[in-house]
Amino acid sequence: MLAYLDPEGSRATDLAARSGQHKQVIGTLVDELEELGYVERRPDPQDRRAKLVVPTDLGLDQAHKSRVILAGIEARHAVEVGGEAYAAFKAVLIRIARG
């Protein structure tokens, strides 16, 4: 879920839409990530009734490390099958995932 989170914060409804998960699932994940210290809930300055899910420094660090690891995995796959083939595979996979 950290991949879908804006550094300045996101509403749970936006996270649900971006990730394709139900809002209840996002709520549970936010609870767990908050307990672990990766995110915190803050009032939304645009709407005081709403809450923003904001990454902590720990959460930002974890998201960065995850992107680095993923980039390394993708680079290895691209070397294995060739850059064009991997790019085509990734484009098809994204298209399938979006439905």
Side-chain angles (χ1 to χ4, degrees):
M1 189 186 77
L2 291 173
Y4 300 106
L5 195 57
D6 291 329
E8 61 277 352
S10 303
R11 289 184 180 183
T13 52
D14 295 332
L15 293 171
R18 289 180 199 153
S19 67
Q21 298 293 323
H22 294 285
K23 189 176 174 193
Q24 293 83 356
V25 171
I26 295 300
T28 300
L29 288 172
V30 169
D31 289 343
E32 291 174 6
L33 290 173
E34 191 172 33
E35 276 186 42
L36 294 168
Y38 291 115
V39 300
E40 60 186 20
R41 289 180 171 102
R42 294 184 190 161
D44 184 342
Q46 304 297 321
D47 181 354
R48 288 288 182 181
R49 297 170 296 168
K51 295 282 186 193
L52 289 178
V53 180
V54 181
T56 61
D57 288 341
L58 179 62
L60 290 171
D61 183 58
Q62 183 64 40
H64 171 73
K65 288 177 181 174
S66 297
R67 285 190 299 274
V68 169
I69 291 168
L70 184 57
I73 293 168
E74 288 187 342
R76 286 194 305 275
H77 290 321
V79 166
E80 183 70 28
V81 300
E84 281 186 42
Y86 185 74
F89 161 76
K90 190 172 174 181
V92 169
L93 187 61
I94 289 169
R95 188 172 170 192
I96 290 169
R98 289 185 179 156

